[in-house]
Amino acid sequence: MSSQEPIREPIIPSMELFSAISDEMRLKILMLLDQAEWTVNEIKDILDIHQSNASRHLAKLSSCNLLKDRRDGIKAYYGLSEELLLSNRVLSIIRDAYNNLPDHDIIQCRAEQKLQERTDKTKGQIHKLDQAGGSLKAQISLFSKLMIPFENAVDIGCGEGGDLSLMLATRCKHVTALDCDPKVISGLQRIIKHKGFDNITPKVADMTQTGLPSDFADLVLMSQVLHHAMDPRLALKEAIRILKPGGTLALLDLAQHKEESFRTTHGHIWLGFDSKQLEFFVKEFNCKIILSEIIPSENEVDKKLPVICMILEKIDKV
């Protein structure tokens, strides 16, 4: 009987690696970056340490290939490297160790407050699909994959106007439209009443905690919302949880880009996603990727950004 060789991961355990992650402060930094990308100033504010200490810890982690940075002038945003995200064993060790720290809830609360500050600065600046990436070409590409009737659909992050929810309502028996902003839901309720739709249920809910039952929907749609998630893995896990076995998750979001201004102008936490990054997020869940493609911009003059279109199917548990 031949034994199966273990899968080699990008990050190989070493004394230097264990030295880097055994420090409590560096462990906290890694778990902050597991939630979102941060600047040195944001990290030092959340962890209440001096900027020079934060920079020193970041340098140590970078030397072990655990971090990546993206620069905008003199400002640098740090995040976990693709190598670490693809190294399940090392990442699991780090997450387990962090969860055992006595003050991890306090750090989580501070991080959420800092992200809320970003959001507060951008209220009233909600962008539509054609303002950032892919424009109508991306929307048509997504819906061309979904032109079959669905019994029960959920639009996560329906946004101002609920355009996609209204489109789904013409093809689905029932649509649940979710958004975390009560004003968005109130506006959608008025639109539904005005247009006479009786098969759309608007609901205020966070994308990581929808409040919907498991195995609820035949179709879950996430269009241009994942880059607002503090933890994209949790958002995807929740979307897949509410899907029925055999159900479809349709994901449309910006491809990875370097438009740092989107953090302040649009409140983006993530500057798009790499296809491998999204595939990593979903591979631990009970689903398979049916389609994954990058849809380029059709208008370079207006600097529209390319988007990722992914179609996933929830697998029946054996």
Side-chain angles (χ1 to χ4, degrees):
M1 181 183 296
S2 60
S3 59
Q4 186 176 3
E5 292 187 6
I7 299 174
R8 292 183 62 85
E9 298 182 344
I11 301 294
I12 300 174
S14 65
M15 292 303 296
E16 183 182 10
L17 173 67
F18 287 122
S19 173
I21 65 177
S22 63
D23 182 272
E24 183 174 316
M25 193 58 65
R26 288 196 284 271
L27 193 64
K28 292 175 180 178
I29 290 175
L30 285 170
M31 286 299 90
L32 280 179
L33 300 178
D34 193 30
Q35 300 173 37
E37 296 175 311
W38 304 97
T39 65
V40 175
N41 279 333
E42 289 174 326
I43 291 172
K44 66 103 172 171
D45 289 344
I46 294 171
L47 298 179
D48 194 22
I49 59 177
H50 196 275
Q51 182 172 330
S52 61
N53 286 338
S55 297
R56 175 171 55 83
H57 288 309
L58 288 167
K60 176 68 173 178
L61 294 170
S62 295
S63 69
C64 296
N65 208 23
L66 300 176
L67 305 184
K68 66 177 180 181
D69 66 85
R70 293 193 283 195
R71 299 186 177 273
D72 180 18
I74 61 173
K75 189 179 291 186
Y77 289 89
Y78 291 88
L80 298 185
S81 67
E82 282 79 10
E83 289 81 3
L84 177 55
L85 288 171
L86 292 172
S87 298
N88 288 334
R89 291 181 302 164
V90 175
L91 194 55
S92 294
I93 290 171
I94 293 171
R95 287 171 176 160
D96 289 344
Y98 173 75
N99 288 331
N100 287 324
L101 294 179
D103 59 345
H104 81 275
D105 287 336
I106 297 175
I107 296 172
Q108 177 75 12
C109 182
R110 290 177 182 171
E112 290 176 359
Q113 290 175 344
K114 186 65 70 173
L115 289 173
Q116 187 61 48
E117 290 175 11
R118 291 183 185 175
T119 303
D120 290 342
K121 293 177 182 178
T122 60
K123 282 184 177 178
Q125 300 178 10
I126 299 174
H127 69 286
K128 293 185 181 292
L129 180 65
D130 62 354
Q131 290 179 318
S135 109
L136 185 60
K137 181 179 180 180
Q139 192 170 340
I140 292 173
S141 177
L142 176 66
F143 274 88
S144 68
K145 314 297 191 305
L146 305 174
M147 291 309 293
I148 59 173
F150 287 94
E151 180 78 11
N152 200 5
V154 177
D155 182 8
I156 298 180
C158 59
E160 189 176 11
D163 294 338
L164 298 182
S165 293
L166 297 175
M167 291 176 67
L168 285 173
T170 65
R171 299 289 298 170
C172 304
K173 185 174 181 180
H174 184 265
V175 176
T176 303
L178 307 180
D179 201 281
C180 63
D181 190 340
K183 292 182 179 179
V184 168
I185 294 301
S186 295
L188 180 56
Q189 288 171 334
R190 290 192 294 269
I191 293 172
I192 291 171
K193 183 177 180 181
H194 174 71
K195 296 195 173 187
F197 282 95
D198 60 2
N199 63 334
I200 303 177
T201 301
K203 179 184 176 183
V204 178
D206 184 83
M207 72 179 86
T208 61
Q209 295 179 333
T210 64
L212 298 175
S214 299
D215 302 339
F216 173 77
D218 304 284
L219 169 68
V220 173
L221 175 66
M222 301 182 74
S223 177
Q224 297 277 40
V225 296
L226 197 61
H227 54 249
H228 289 293
M230 277 189 60
D231 190 332
R233 290 178 297 103
L234 288 182
L236 289 168
K237 183 178 181 180
E238 175 69 359
I240 294 168
R241 181 190 69 80
I242 65 176
L243 266 182
K244 296 177 182 177
T248 298
L249 170 61
L251 174 67
L252 187 70
D253 215 294
L254 295 175
Q256 195 169 59
H257 62 88
K258 296 183 179 181
E259 296 294 331
E260 300 287 349
S261 62
F262 277 34
R263 298 182 189 278
T264 54
T265 60
H266 295 82
H268 291 195
I269 296 175
W270 297 82
L271 296 182
F273 298 94
D274 178 78
S275 296
K276 291 183 179 179
Q277 187 178 20
L278 289 178
E279 290 170 9
F280 169 77
F281 286 151
V282 302
K283 74 177 183 180
E284 62 182 289
F285 307 130
N286 196 41
C287 65
K288 63 180 178 180
I289 298 172
I290 304 299
L291 177 139
S292 178
E293 65 175 322
I294 301 292
I295 304 169
S297 167
E298 68 216 54
N299 188 347
E300 294 297 330
V301 176
D302 293 335
K303 296 184 178 179
K304 307 291 187 186
L305 297 174
V307 300
I308 294 177
C309 174
M310 292 185 71
I311 306 294
L312 302 101
E313 179 182 320
K314 185 172 181 177
I315 303 172
D316 226 335
K317 291 183 179 179
V318 179

